[in-house]
Amino acid sequence: MIRTELIDESIKISSDLIKINSVNPTFGGNGEKEKAEYVLGKLNEYIKKYNIKNCVIKEYNTVDKNNIERPNIVAKFDFGREKTLHIISHLDTVPEGDLSLWESNPYEPVVKDGMIYGRGSEDNHKAIVSSFLLLKMIFEGNAPEKHEFPKYNLNLIFVSDEEDGSEYGLKYLVDNYENEIFKKDDLIIVPDFGTPDGNYIEIAEKNILWIKFKIKGKQCHGSTPNDGINANIIMFNFGNELYRQLYQRYDKKDEIFSPACSTFEPTVVVNNVENVNTLPGYVEVCFDCRILPDYDVDEVLKFVEKYIDNFKRNIKNYFVVYDTKEEDEIEITYEILKKEKSQRTKENSTLVLELKDAIRNALNKEPQLCGMGGGTVAAFLREKGYDTVVWGIGEETAHQPNEHIKIKDLIKMAEVYLEILK
């Protein structure tokens, strides 16, 4: 039976957080400052309420390129242990999207049928709320009365900028304060993923490589293709052949992922003409590559560079009519929009084994290991050699209209953390 005070506290904190618009500034939002102030206030409220003596709170705030303050908070609870359990939440959210698709105001919490609705309720308020519920369970005297409890120190970390690459969030912390916050044998949970049963543990992410290819030909009138070099023709053939060769070369499968293979998908295509009777002289095409951890992203880039050189040497094979005198002026260059390398957390690591046991004990579910193609802040930690898992419970409504989560699942998440500390 779930205690009434835990339900009330879950609704209270969730509601307070939903009312704060913390959309990432990159997407035109207010940023994380007000939400960080709320988190700081709640931490200090708990410290006073439970007379907590072993907590040190430190802010690692920075300023982004637009001079907007981006807050990061680390609350360390020292229980005198060698290892620390870190729970990492993010403060920013994505925009609400098409308001006509919402059944209520995204920033006015609605509690209905055991759910709470509002932007951020799942992504990533569930991490913030469950972190506070864990503190309530530890310090209210309802936790096990054992000399060795908790068996790990506890760090609650609240970061900015997760929704736009974490340059001002966890990446900033790892790049500048790694040794101050983390130790290699620590246990790190990122509650930024979740299934309704809560039995899936994400131990691996694919490497992410976003590339923009810039293709320069020669613009001309549509009726005289012999006076130009149609950049669309280059782009069509370049993209199709690259797509095929990447899938053929990097063809390993790992069934922990869905899909099990690396993926190399063309996405955005832009050219510099708007009228039908002009051949474009410049085109851009972007590829979204999600690459299994077995492969080195830099090796993939070297393959791409060789492919570009070979394609240009054989450019005449792709045209019927074009200005052959300008062939040497053709350019194909690329820009890396995003590159994230990720390692795999060992299946027999202490963290994975502890979380498996906690899921069995707290949820009565058999845990399953999985990977994902999407990226989380866990990638930055795994690249540095830290055992990190992404785990949570949720209705999988992140980024969607009418985002919501079951109130009881917020409490279950805290109970799983508590099991790890027992």
Side-chain angles (χ1 to χ4, degrees), residues 111-288:
V111 178
K112 183 174 65 174
D113 300 327
M115 310 270 196
I116 186 160
Y117 291 77
R119 177 50 88 224
S121 54
E122 181 169 355
D123 184 19
N124 192 228
H125 295 167
K126 69 180 180 187
I128 301 173
V129 176
S130 59
S131 293
F132 280 111
L133 294 179
L134 174 62
L135 293 182
K136 187 176 180 69
M137 292 174 181
I138 292 172
F139 291 105
E140 274 195 341
N142 297 295
E145 293 186 5
K146 298 179 181 178
H147 174 70
E148 66 273 17
F149 176 82
K151 66 179 176 184
Y152 301 113
N153 301 318
L154 176 66
N155 278 6
L156 299 181
I157 302 176
F158 307 88
V159 295
S160 290
D161 201 31
E162 189 276 342
E163 299 291 359
D164 189 47
S166 297
E167 180 179 353
Y168 307 108
L170 187 63
K171 187 175 186 299
Y172 170 77
L173 292 184
V174 172
D175 287 347
N176 295 280
Y177 304 100
E178 176 185 355
N179 295 333
E180 186 175 322
I181 300 172
F182 302 102
K183 291 193 303 183
K184 290 298 182 185
D185 56 353
D186 286 346
L187 291 72
I188 306 174
I189 298 177
V190 179
D192 198 17
F193 159 79
T195 57
D197 286 338
N199 62 322
Y200 277 86
I201 303 170
E202 187 261 89
I203 62 167
E205 295 173 16
K206 293 179 181 178
N207 299 309
I208 298 177
L209 180 62
W210 292 354
I211 315 177
K212 179 193 289 184
F213 294 99
K214 304 175 182 181
I215 299 170
K216 177 179 173 291
K218 180 185 177 185
Q219 184 172 311
C220 70
H221 196 281
S223 66
T224 57
N226 54 304
D227 289 335
I229 299 175
N230 190 338
N232 274 344
I233 298 298
I234 303 174
M235 182 271 294
F236 294 153
N237 289 281
F238 175 88
N240 182 60
E241 184 66 17
L242 179 60
Y243 170 85
R244 187 182 65 82
Q245 288 195 24
L246 286 170
Y247 270 106
Q248 286 180 347
R249 182 178 179 88
Y250 303 101
D251 62 352
K252 288 183 181 179
K253 294 190 184 311
D254 186 339
E255 297 301 329
I256 202 170
F257 292 100
S258 178
C261 60
S262 300
T263 58
F264 307 92
E265 295 296 316
T267 55
V268 179
V269 177
V270 179
N271 69 34
N272 66 341
V273 299
E274 297 178 352
N275 51 305
V276 175
N277 59 341
T278 298
L279 303 187
Y282 179 79
V283 179
E284 295 178 350
V285 58
C286 297
F287 269 62
D288 180 347

Side-chain angles (χ1 to χ4, degrees), residues 21 36 41 44 83 123 133 179 239 307 332 339 352:
N21 182 330
N44 284 308
K83 297 181 181 180
D123 184 19
L133 294 179
N179 295 333
Y307 169 81
I332 303 176
K339 183 173 76 168
V352 171

